[in-house]
Tab-separated table of all heavy atoms in Angstrom:
chain	number	residue	atom	x	y	z
A	1	MET	N	-6.720	-31.001	34.108
A	1	MET	CA	-8.059	-30.449	34.064
A	1	MET	C	-8.601	-30.369	32.654
A	1	MET	O	-9.700	-30.585	32.428
A	1	MET	CB	-7.974	-29.030	34.710
A	1	MET	CG	-9.289	-28.459	34.977
A	1	MET	SD	-10.270	-29.442	36.110
A	1	MET	CE	-10.780	-28.330	37.307
A	2	GLN	N	-7.667	-29.997	31.745
A	2	GLN	CA	-8.065	-29.917	30.368
A	2	GLN	C	-8.554	-31.256	29.876
A	2	GLN	O	-9.536	-31.417	29.011
A	2	GLN	CB	-6.887	-29.445	29.471
A	2	GLN	CG	-6.548	-27.926	29.700
A	2	GLN	CD	-5.378	-27.595	28.829
A	2	GLN	OE1	-4.610	-28.392	28.328
A	2	GLN	NE2	-5.184	-26.278	28.707
A	3	GLU	N	-7.985	-32.308	30.347
A	3	GLU	CA	-8.282	-33.745	29.840
A	3	GLU	C	-9.767	-33.997	30.310
A	3	GLU	O	-10.556	-34.568	29.621
A	3	GLU	CB	-7.331	-34.713	30.457
A	3	GLU	CG	-7.686	-36.113	29.879
A	3	GLU	CD	-6.651	-37.122	30.452
A	3	GLU	OE1	-5.417	-36.768	30.506
A	3	GLU	OE2	-7.098	-38.329	30.665
A	4	ILE	N	-10.063	-33.566	31.533
A	4	ILE	CA	-11.355	-33.859	32.104
A	4	ILE	C	-12.459	-33.092	31.325
A	4	ILE	O	-13.504	-33.595	30.992
A	4	ILE	CB	-11.457	-33.493	33.661
A	4	ILE	CG1	-10.613	-34.517	34.394
A	4	ILE	CG2	-12.864	-33.513	34.085
A	4	ILE	CD1	-10.400	-34.094	35.824
A	5	ALA	N	-12.088	-31.691	31.070
A	5	ALA	CA	-12.927	-30.828	30.324
A	5	ALA	C	-13.238	-31.467	28.881
A	5	ALA	O	-14.348	-31.469	28.390
A	5	ALA	CB	-12.425	-29.418	30.200
A	6	ALA	N	-12.201	-32.023	28.321
A	6	ALA	CA	-12.318	-32.594	26.948
A	6	ALA	C	-13.236	-33.787	26.957
A	6	ALA	O	-13.887	-34.046	25.976
A	6	ALA	CB	-10.958	-32.866	26.365
A	7	GLN	N	-13.323	-34.423	28.070
A	7	GLN	CA	-14.080	-35.714	28.131
A	7	GLN	C	-15.588	-35.458	28.561
A	7	GLN	O	-16.364	-36.333	28.512
A	7	GLN	CB	-13.484	-36.755	29.107
A	7	GLN	CG	-12.129	-37.197	28.600
A	7	GLN	CD	-11.446	-38.125	29.595
A	7	GLN	OE1	-11.908	-38.357	30.668
A	7	GLN	NE2	-10.331	-38.648	29.196
A	8	THR	N	-15.785	-34.307	29.092
A	8	THR	CA	-17.100	-33.941	29.621
A	8	THR	C	-18.096	-33.623	28.506
A	8	THR	O	-17.747	-32.887	27.512
A	8	THR	CB	-17.041	-32.777	30.534
A	8	THR	OG1	-16.154	-32.985	31.601
A	8	THR	CG2	-18.428	-32.369	31.130
A	9	LEU	N	-19.231	-34.250	28.515
A	9	LEU	CA	-20.210	-34.194	27.403
A	9	LEU	C	-20.956	-32.815	27.615
A	9	LEU	O	-21.271	-32.423	28.669
A	9	LEU	CB	-21.175	-35.251	27.423
A	9	LEU	CG	-20.633	-36.708	27.194
A	9	LEU	CD1	-21.828	-37.679	27.338
A	9	LEU	CD2	-20.047	-36.773	25.855
A	10	THR	N	-21.257	-32.233	26.431
A	10	THR	CA	-22.070	-31.045	26.569
A	10	THR	C	-23.498	-31.394	26.642
A	10	THR	O	-23.931	-32.546	26.415
A	10	THR	CB	-21.902	-30.154	25.182
A	10	THR	OG1	-22.476	-31.020	24.154
A	10	THR	CG2	-20.450	-29.808	24.868
A	11	PRO	N	-24.372	-30.458	27.044
A	11	PRO	CA	-25.785	-30.792	27.160
A	11	PRO	C	-26.367	-31.288	25.839
A	11	PRO	O	-27.235	-32.289	25.834
A	11	PRO	CB	-26.490	-29.494	27.614
A	11	PRO	CG	-25.379	-28.752	28.373
A	11	PRO	CD	-24.136	-29.162	27.571
A	12	GLU	N	-25.929	-30.789	24.721
A	12	GLU	CA	-26.375	-31.301	23.440
A	12	GLU	C	-25.970	-32.728	23.165
A	12	GLU	O	-26.753	-33.456	22.605
A	12	GLU	CB	-25.780	-30.321	22.333
A	12	GLU	CG	-26.380	-28.934	22.358
A	12	GLU	CD	-25.639	-28.048	23.369
A	12	GLU	OE1	-24.578	-28.329	23.845
A	12	GLU	OE2	-26.287	-27.035	23.691
A	13	GLN	N	-24.761	-32.979	23.520
A	13	GLN	CA	-24.300	-34.429	23.339
A	13	GLN	C	-25.079	-35.352	24.262
A	13	GLN	O	-25.388	-36.455	23.844
A	13	GLN	CB	-22.805	-34.510	23.608
A	13	GLN	CG	-21.872	-33.809	22.607
A	13	GLN	CD	-20.412	-33.667	23.116
A	13	GLN	OE1	-20.122	-33.395	24.228
A	13	GLN	NE2	-19.547	-33.945	22.215
A	14	ILE	N	-25.344	-34.963	25.419
A	14	ILE	CA	-26.039	-35.843	26.306
A	14	ILE	C	-27.505	-36.049	25.769
A	14	ILE	O	-27.973	-37.186	25.730
A	14	ILE	CB	-26.241	-35.145	27.784
A	14	ILE	CG1	-24.766	-35.144	28.398
A	14	ILE	CG2	-27.206	-35.909	28.652
A	14	ILE	CD1	-24.698	-34.327	29.610
A	15	LYS	N	-28.153	-34.952	25.315
A	15	LYS	CA	-29.505	-35.202	24.667
A	15	LYS	C	-29.431	-35.985	23.459
A	15	LYS	O	-30.331	-36.898	23.283
A	15	LYS	CB	-30.093	-33.744	24.306
A	15	LYS	CG	-31.413	-33.966	23.677
A	15	LYS	CD	-32.026	-32.587	23.352
A	15	LYS	CE	-33.455	-32.599	22.791
A	15	LYS	NZ	-33.795	-33.893	22.059
A	16	GLU	N	-28.430	-35.912	22.658
A	16	GLU	CA	-28.301	-36.759	21.402
A	16	GLU	C	-28.105	-38.248	21.844
A	16	GLU	O	-28.848	-39.137	21.276
A	16	GLU	CB	-27.046	-36.334	20.617
A	16	GLU	CG	-26.830	-37.155	19.450
A	16	GLU	CD	-25.504	-36.764	18.700
A	16	GLU	OE1	-25.240	-35.644	18.496
A	16	GLU	OE2	-24.764	-37.738	18.480
A	17	ARG	N	-27.384	-38.496	22.817
A	17	ARG	CA	-27.139	-39.842	23.339
A	17	ARG	C	-28.417	-40.469	23.892
A	17	ARG	O	-28.799	-41.621	23.669
A	17	ARG	CB	-26.091	-39.991	24.327
A	17	ARG	CG	-24.685	-39.896	23.616
A	17	ARG	CD	-23.629	-40.063	24.639
A	17	ARG	NE	-22.334	-39.957	24.053
A	17	ARG	CZ	-21.095	-40.297	24.592
A	17	ARG	NH1	-21.110	-40.815	25.745
A	17	ARG	NH2	-19.961	-40.132	23.919
A	18	ALA	N	-29.115	-39.610	24.685
A	18	ALA	CA	-30.409	-39.998	25.259
A	18	ALA	C	-31.374	-40.284	24.127
A	18	ALA	O	-32.121	-41.363	24.137
A	18	ALA	CB	-30.963	-38.921	26.163
A	19	ASP	N	-31.500	-39.503	23.139
A	19	ASP	CA	-32.296	-39.735	21.995
A	19	ASP	C	-32.048	-40.970	21.234
A	19	ASP	O	-32.951	-41.804	20.798
A	19	ASP	CB	-32.294	-38.571	20.982
A	19	ASP	CG	-33.038	-37.333	21.638
A	19	ASP	OD1	-33.676	-37.311	22.579
A	19	ASP	OD2	-32.800	-36.194	20.985
A	20	ARG	N	-30.744	-41.205	21.049
A	20	ARG	CA	-30.325	-42.461	20.349
A	20	ARG	C	-30.671	-43.708	21.219
A	20	ARG	O	-31.114	-44.722	20.651
A	20	ARG	CB	-28.833	-42.503	20.093
A	20	ARG	CG	-28.495	-41.597	18.908
A	20	ARG	CD	-27.031	-41.777	18.383
A	20	ARG	NE	-26.061	-42.129	19.389
A	20	ARG	CZ	-24.988	-41.459	19.748
A	20	ARG	NH1	-24.709	-40.311	19.027
A	20	ARG	NH2	-24.155	-41.821	20.666
A	21	THR	N	-30.546	-43.565	22.527
A	21	THR	CA	-30.795	-44.690	23.401
A	21	THR	C	-32.305	-44.991	23.360
A	21	THR	O	-32.740	-46.127	23.255
A	21	THR	CB	-30.349	-44.386	24.818
A	21	THR	OG1	-28.934	-44.175	24.790
A	21	THR	CG2	-30.755	-45.564	25.790
A	22	ARG	N	-33.149	-43.949	23.422
A	22	ARG	CA	-34.641	-44.139	23.303
A	22	ARG	C	-34.900	-44.809	22.056
A	22	ARG	O	-35.815	-45.672	22.009
A	22	ARG	CB	-35.356	-42.798	23.377
A	22	ARG	CG	-35.409	-42.217	24.772
A	22	ARG	CD	-36.191	-40.949	24.731
A	22	ARG	NE	-36.508	-40.396	26.069
A	22	ARG	CZ	-37.497	-39.666	26.397
A	22	ARG	NH1	-38.380	-39.299	25.497
A	22	ARG	NH2	-37.570	-39.221	27.599
A	23	ALA	N	-34.338	-44.391	20.921
A	23	ALA	CA	-34.613	-45.049	19.583
A	23	ALA	C	-34.292	-46.449	19.644
A	23	ALA	O	-35.036	-47.225	19.146
A	23	ALA	CB	-33.960	-44.244	18.494
A	24	LEU	N	-33.116	-46.776	20.161
A	24	LEU	CA	-32.674	-48.130	20.124
A	24	LEU	C	-33.574	-49.067	21.048
A	24	LEU	O	-33.967	-50.158	20.565
A	24	LEU	CB	-31.215	-48.207	20.776
A	24	LEU	CG	-30.677	-49.580	20.893
A	24	LEU	CD1	-29.965	-49.966	19.620
A	24	LEU	CD2	-29.684	-49.647	22.075
A	25	LEU	N	-33.937	-48.549	22.204
A	25	LEU	CA	-34.805	-49.357	23.013
A	25	LEU	C	-36.206	-49.542	22.381
A	25	LEU	O	-36.784	-50.713	22.467
A	25	LEU	CB	-35.052	-48.624	24.362
A	25	LEU	CG	-33.845	-48.602	25.290
A	25	LEU	CD1	-34.111	-47.715	26.504
A	25	LEU	CD2	-33.584	-50.023	25.791
A	26	ALA	N	-36.678	-48.587	21.592
A	26	ALA	CA	-37.922	-48.754	20.936
A	26	ALA	C	-37.916	-49.689	19.813
A	26	ALA	O	-38.604	-50.598	19.605
A	26	ALA	CB	-38.450	-47.437	20.488
A	27	GLU	N	-36.771	-49.564	19.022
A	27	GLU	CA	-36.589	-50.400	17.784
A	27	GLU	C	-36.317	-51.841	18.187
A	27	GLU	O	-36.840	-52.785	17.640
A	27	GLU	CB	-35.404	-49.848	16.990
A	27	GLU	CG	-35.112	-50.570	15.727
A	27	GLU	CD	-33.905	-50.025	14.960
A	27	GLU	OE1	-33.792	-48.777	14.879
A	27	GLU	OE2	-33.089	-50.743	14.537
A	28	ARG	N	-35.357	-52.097	19.098
A	28	ARG	CA	-34.949	-53.457	19.300
A	28	ARG	C	-35.695	-54.184	20.322
A	28	ARG	O	-35.873	-55.404	20.378
A	28	ARG	CB	-33.484	-53.359	19.755
A	28	ARG	CG	-32.606	-52.999	18.676
A	28	ARG	CD	-31.099	-53.439	18.937
A	28	ARG	NE	-30.292	-52.970	17.882
A	28	ARG	CZ	-28.992	-52.838	17.873
A	28	ARG	NH1	-28.410	-53.245	19.031
A	28	ARG	NH2	-28.230	-52.504	16.921
A	29	PHE	N	-36.298	-53.451	21.314
A	29	PHE	CA	-37.031	-54.090	22.380
A	29	PHE	C	-38.434	-53.708	22.577
A	29	PHE	O	-39.175	-54.221	23.435
A	29	PHE	CB	-36.305	-53.837	23.823
A	29	PHE	CG	-34.817	-54.262	23.708
A	29	PHE	CD1	-33.824	-53.292	23.589
A	29	PHE	CD2	-34.492	-55.545	23.786
A	29	PHE	CE1	-32.501	-53.633	23.634
A	29	PHE	CE2	-33.175	-55.993	23.750
A	29	PHE	CZ	-32.171	-54.969	23.704
A	30	GLY	N	-38.943	-52.768	21.682
A	30	GLY	CA	-40.339	-52.375	21.746
A	30	GLY	C	-40.641	-51.619	23.074
A	30	GLY	O	-41.858	-51.493	23.422
A	31	HIS	N	-39.623	-51.036	23.658
A	31	HIS	CA	-39.896	-50.303	24.912
A	31	HIS	C	-39.739	-48.758	24.592
A	31	HIS	O	-38.635	-48.379	24.199
A	31	HIS	CB	-38.922	-50.679	26.040
A	31	HIS	CG	-39.095	-49.984	27.316
A	31	HIS	ND1	-40.255	-50.204	28.193
A	31	HIS	CD2	-38.502	-48.844	27.800
A	31	HIS	CE1	-40.169	-49.325	29.154
A	31	HIS	NE2	-39.103	-48.448	28.995
A	32	TYR	N	-40.833	-48.133	24.885
A	32	TYR	CA	-40.805	-46.678	24.658
A	32	TYR	C	-40.664	-46.014	25.899
A	32	TYR	O	-41.573	-46.036	26.749
A	32	TYR	CB	-42.072	-46.248	23.899
A	32	TYR	CG	-42.126	-46.846	22.585
A	32	TYR	CD1	-42.678	-48.152	22.292
A	32	TYR	CD2	-41.683	-46.115	21.410
A	32	TYR	CE1	-42.766	-48.719	21.097
A	32	TYR	CE2	-41.745	-46.771	20.106
A	32	TYR	CZ	-42.179	-48.013	19.975
A	32	TYR	OH	-42.255	-48.593	18.752
A	33	VAL	N	-39.579	-45.342	26.133
A	33	VAL	CA	-39.169	-44.624	27.364
A	33	VAL	C	-40.086	-43.380	27.646
A	33	VAL	O	-40.102	-42.504	26.649
A	33	VAL	CB	-37.676	-44.291	27.505
A	33	VAL	CG1	-37.360	-43.562	28.814
A	33	VAL	CG2	-36.828	-45.520	27.313
A	34	THR	N	-40.809	-43.280	28.625
A	34	THR	CA	-41.637	-42.086	28.850
A	34	THR	C	-40.799	-41.021	29.536
A	34	THR	O	-39.761	-41.187	29.986
A	34	THR	CB	-42.760	-42.502	29.807
A	34	THR	OG1	-42.192	-42.771	31.140
A	34	THR	CG2	-43.622	-43.624	29.396
A	35	ASP	N	-41.384	-39.820	29.385
A	35	ASP	CA	-40.732	-38.667	30.104
A	35	ASP	C	-40.560	-38.956	31.577
A	35	ASP	O	-39.557	-38.533	32.122
A	35	ASP	CB	-41.555	-37.388	29.815
A	35	ASP	CG	-41.380	-36.932	28.361
A	35	ASP	OD1	-40.480	-37.374	27.609
A	35	ASP	OD2	-42.284	-36.164	27.902
A	36	GLU	N	-41.567	-39.559	32.219
A	36	GLU	CA	-41.514	-39.843	33.573
A	36	GLU	C	-40.337	-40.794	33.865
A	36	GLU	O	-39.641	-40.665	34.903
A	36	GLU	CB	-42.854	-40.369	34.065
A	36	GLU	CG	-43.945	-39.399	34.016
A	36	GLU	CD	-44.596	-39.281	32.634
A	36	GLU	OE1	-44.405	-40.110	31.799
A	36	GLU	OE2	-45.311	-38.263	32.516
A	37	GLU	N	-40.218	-41.865	33.057
A	37	GLU	CA	-39.029	-42.764	33.312
A	37	GLU	C	-37.712	-42.086	33.115
A	37	GLU	O	-36.874	-42.312	33.929
A	37	GLU	CB	-39.151	-43.924	32.320
A	37	GLU	CG	-40.247	-44.900	32.485
A	37	GLU	CD	-40.344	-45.889	31.401
A	37	GLU	OE1	-40.393	-45.552	30.235
A	37	GLU	OE2	-40.609	-47.156	31.740
A	38	SER	N	-37.651	-41.257	32.202
A	38	SER	CA	-36.361	-40.487	32.004
A	38	SER	C	-36.075	-39.633	33.239
A	38	SER	O	-34.937	-39.518	33.662
A	38	SER	CB	-36.450	-39.491	30.752
A	38	SER	OG	-36.370	-40.339	29.521
A	39	ALA	N	-37.127	-38.932	33.636
A	39	ALA	CA	-36.938	-38.007	34.874
A	39	ALA	C	-36.534	-38.772	36.022
A	39	ALA	O	-35.596	-38.396	36.801
A	39	ALA	CB	-38.233	-37.254	35.142
A	40	GLU	N	-37.162	-40.014	36.210
A	40	GLU	CA	-36.747	-40.843	37.416
A	40	GLU	C	-35.330	-41.286	37.238
A	40	GLU	O	-34.573	-41.411	38.166
A	40	GLU	CB	-37.733	-42.040	37.442
A	40	GLU	CG	-37.430	-42.965	38.523
A	40	GLU	CD	-37.569	-42.417	39.974
A	40	GLU	OE1	-38.113	-41.325	40.138
A	40	GLU	OE2	-37.154	-43.058	40.889
A	41	MET	N	-34.856	-41.688	36.078
A	41	MET	CA	-33.564	-42.241	35.808
A	41	MET	C	-32.555	-41.069	36.109
A	41	MET	O	-31.523	-41.208	36.746
A	41	MET	CB	-33.337	-42.732	34.395
A	41	MET	CG	-32.003	-43.309	34.179
A	41	MET	SD	-31.553	-44.609	35.309
A	41	MET	CE	-32.578	-45.916	34.951
A	42	ARG	N	-32.813	-39.863	35.608
A	42	ARG	CA	-31.953	-38.699	35.986
A	42	ARG	C	-31.881	-38.441	37.486
A	42	ARG	O	-30.796	-38.230	37.943
A	42	ARG	CB	-32.489	-37.461	35.235
A	42	ARG	CG	-32.212	-37.382	33.736
A	42	ARG	CD	-32.444	-36.051	33.135
A	42	ARG	NE	-33.817	-35.560	33.323
A	42	ARG	CZ	-34.858	-35.941	32.548
A	42	ARG	NH1	-34.579	-36.686	31.444
A	42	ARG	NH2	-36.105	-35.496	32.732
A	43	ARG	N	-33.030	-38.621	38.189
A	43	ARG	CA	-33.032	-38.335	39.608
A	43	ARG	C	-32.098	-39.440	40.221
A	43	ARG	O	-31.234	-39.162	41.137
A	43	ARG	CB	-34.442	-38.488	40.208
A	43	ARG	CG	-34.534	-38.168	41.646
A	43	ARG	CD	-35.840	-38.589	42.274
A	43	ARG	NE	-36.055	-40.080	42.259
A	43	ARG	CZ	-35.416	-40.953	43.006
A	43	ARG	NH1	-34.550	-40.543	43.893
A	43	ARG	NH2	-35.738	-42.256	42.971
A	44	LYS	N	-32.192	-40.715	39.868
A	44	LYS	CA	-31.450	-41.710	40.413
A	44	LYS	C	-29.933	-41.520	40.116
A	44	LYS	O	-29.084	-41.819	40.977
A	44	LYS	CB	-31.876	-43.128	39.903
A	44	LYS	CG	-33.150	-43.550	40.492
A	44	LYS	CD	-33.534	-44.857	39.877
A	44	LYS	CE	-34.925	-45.386	40.439
A	44	LYS	NZ	-35.257	-46.723	39.903
A	45	MET	N	-29.628	-41.082	38.889
A	45	MET	CA	-28.241	-40.810	38.561
A	45	MET	C	-27.615	-39.703	39.321
A	45	MET	O	-26.525	-39.744	39.825
A	45	MET	CB	-28.151	-40.540	37.065
A	45	MET	CG	-28.368	-41.705	36.163
A	45	MET	SD	-27.272	-43.130	36.426
A	45	MET	CE	-25.749	-42.452	35.910
A	46	ARG	N	-28.401	-38.650	39.609
A	46	ARG	CA	-27.930	-37.499	40.440
A	46	ARG	C	-27.703	-38.057	41.843
A	46	ARG	O	-26.699	-37.629	42.433
A	46	ARG	CB	-28.948	-36.359	40.366
A	46	ARG	CG	-28.844	-35.474	39.142
A	46	ARG	CD	-29.634	-34.192	39.360
A	46	ARG	NE	-31.080	-34.427	39.736
A	46	ARG	CZ	-32.028	-34.668	38.815
A	46	ARG	NH1	-31.907	-34.548	37.510
A	46	ARG	NH2	-33.329	-34.855	39.253
A	47	GLU	N	-28.591	-38.868	42.366
A	47	GLU	CA	-28.505	-39.351	43.702
A	47	GLU	C	-27.187	-40.253	43.777
A	47	GLU	O	-26.409	-40.184	44.720
A	47	GLU	CB	-29.745	-40.187	44.050
A	47	GLU	CG	-29.810	-40.669	45.415
A	47	GLU	CD	-31.120	-41.337	45.651
A	47	GLU	OE1	-32.150	-40.679	45.710
A	47	GLU	OE2	-31.127	-42.621	45.728
A	48	ALA	N	-27.033	-41.125	42.843
A	48	ALA	CA	-25.801	-42.031	42.818
A	48	ALA	C	-24.533	-41.221	42.757
A	48	ALA	O	-23.533	-41.446	43.409
A	48	ALA	CB	-25.947	-43.056	41.714
A	49	THR	N	-24.539	-40.168	41.892
A	49	THR	CA	-23.394	-39.322	41.800
A	49	THR	C	-23.070	-38.550	43.040
A	49	THR	O	-21.925	-38.558	43.530
A	49	THR	CB	-23.554	-38.241	40.654
A	49	THR	OG1	-23.807	-38.951	39.337
A	49	THR	CG2	-22.389	-37.299	40.522
A	50	ALA	N	-24.072	-38.105	43.719
A	50	ALA	CA	-23.901	-37.407	45.044
A	50	ALA	C	-23.351	-38.423	46.092
A	50	ALA	O	-22.446	-38.033	46.848
A	50	ALA	CB	-25.214	-36.849	45.426
A	51	THR	N	-23.860	-39.588	46.107
A	51	THR	CA	-23.394	-40.656	47.004
A	51	THR	C	-21.986	-40.983	46.806
A	51	THR	O	-21.158	-41.043	47.721
A	51	THR	CB	-24.316	-41.844	46.976
A	51	THR	OG1	-25.631	-41.469	47.268
A	51	THR	CG2	-23.800	-42.985	47.854
A	52	HIS	N	-21.658	-41.125	45.485
A	52	HIS	CA	-20.241	-41.482	45.171
A	52	HIS	C	-19.290	-40.287	45.525
A	52	HIS	O	-18.213	-40.540	46.113
A	52	HIS	CB	-20.187	-41.715	43.677
A	52	HIS	CG	-18.771	-42.005	43.125
A	52	HIS	ND1	-18.111	-43.174	43.337
A	52	HIS	CD2	-17.958	-41.260	42.352
A	52	HIS	CE1	-16.909	-43.174	42.856
A	52	HIS	NE2	-16.769	-42.035	42.135
A	53	ARG	N	-19.674	-39.075	45.217
A	53	ARG	CA	-18.769	-37.968	45.560
A	53	ARG	C	-18.624	-37.865	47.087
A	53	ARG	O	-17.522	-37.554	47.580
A	53	ARG	CB	-19.437	-36.686	44.939
A	53	ARG	CG	-19.208	-36.509	43.519
A	53	ARG	CD	-19.721	-35.291	43.002
A	53	ARG	NE	-19.525	-35.175	41.516
A	53	ARG	CZ	-20.148	-34.341	40.705
A	53	ARG	NH1	-21.012	-33.538	41.171
A	53	ARG	NH2	-19.850	-34.400	39.404
A	54	ALA	N	-19.660	-38.061	47.809
A	54	ALA	CA	-19.527	-37.951	49.266
A	54	ALA	C	-18.653	-39.199	49.784
A	54	ALA	O	-17.768	-38.878	50.724
A	54	ALA	CB	-20.919	-38.214	49.953
A	55	ALA	N	-18.712	-40.301	49.156
A	55	ALA	CA	-17.807	-41.405	49.576
A	55	ALA	C	-16.319	-41.043	49.242
A	55	ALA	O	-15.425	-41.313	50.058
A	55	ALA	CB	-18.177	-42.712	48.895
A	56	LEU	N	-16.116	-40.513	48.135
A	56	LEU	CA	-14.752	-40.087	47.773
A	56	LEU	C	-14.251	-38.993	48.725
A	56	LEU	O	-13.034	-39.098	49.084
A	56	LEU	CB	-14.730	-39.577	46.300
A	56	LEU	CG	-14.918	-40.510	45.252
A	56	LEU	CD1	-15.057	-39.802	43.836
A	56	LEU	CD2	-13.795	-41.527	45.168
A	57	ALA	N	-15.052	-37.981	49.064
A	57	ALA	CA	-14.673	-36.987	49.990
A	57	ALA	C	-14.300	-37.490	51.307
A	57	ALA	O	-13.385	-37.102	52.004
A	57	ALA	CB	-15.738	-35.880	50.079
A	58	GLU	N	-15.145	-38.508	51.795
A	58	GLU	CA	-14.874	-39.110	53.097
A	58	GLU	C	-13.547	-39.896	53.096
A	58	GLU	O	-12.807	-39.807	54.004
A	58	GLU	CB	-16.109	-40.096	53.461
A	58	GLU	CG	-15.929	-40.584	54.797
A	58	GLU	CD	-17.104	-41.431	55.182
A	58	GLU	OE1	-18.344	-41.091	54.844
A	58	GLU	OE2	-16.920	-42.420	55.857
A	59	ALA	N	-13.341	-40.580	51.982
A	59	ALA	CA	-12.119	-41.389	51.933
A	59	ALA	C	-10.975	-40.442	51.860
A	59	ALA	O	-9.885	-40.722	52.448
A	59	ALA	CB	-12.153	-42.260	50.703
A	60	GLU	N	-11.014	-39.370	51.198
A	60	GLU	CA	-9.948	-38.406	51.088
A	60	GLU	C	-9.651	-37.804	52.403
A	60	GLU	O	-8.550	-37.571	52.834
A	60	GLU	CB	-10.289	-37.381	50.045
A	60	GLU	CG	-9.162	-36.347	49.800
A	60	GLU	CD	-7.957	-36.949	49.124
A	60	GLU	OE1	-8.042	-37.947	48.399
A	60	GLU	OE2	-6.816	-36.436	49.406
A	61	SER	N	-10.665	-37.454	53.181
A	61	SER	CA	-10.566	-36.818	54.469
A	61	SER	C	-9.920	-37.753	55.525
A	61	SER	O	-9.362	-37.297	56.526
A	61	SER	CB	-11.861	-36.149	54.949
A	61	SER	OG	-12.735	-37.219	55.319
A	62	SER	N	-10.130	-39.000	55.354
A	62	SER	CA	-9.587	-40.039	56.287
A	62	SER	C	-8.134	-40.378	56.045
A	62	SER	O	-7.617	-41.121	56.814
A	62	SER	CB	-10.482	-41.242	56.399
A	62	SER	OG	-10.395	-41.890	55.111
A	63	ARG	N	-7.651	-39.822	55.080
A	63	ARG	CA	-6.101	-40.120	54.721
A	63	ARG	C	-5.251	-39.384	55.639
A	63	ARG	O	-5.304	-38.370	56.171
A	63	ARG	CB	-5.841	-39.926	53.254
A	63	ARG	CG	-6.435	-40.863	52.371
A	63	ARG	CD	-6.005	-40.628	50.916
A	63	ARG	NE	-6.736	-41.490	50.108
A	63	ARG	CZ	-6.705	-41.424	48.771
A	63	ARG	NH1	-6.033	-40.477	48.150
A	63	ARG	NH2	-7.367	-42.289	48.030
């Protein structure tokens, strides 16, 4: 459990990575990520995570 906790990013680290990614996309590709795009990506990531967790739980229960 300690290993998992040590690998989990804090909200500040997540924001820092997102800011760096936005800067990289703007600098290298000329794409400026909007707040709406960020919100949509977060929604998709939450949905994918929930789907993945449900699949794991189902696989575990079928053992």
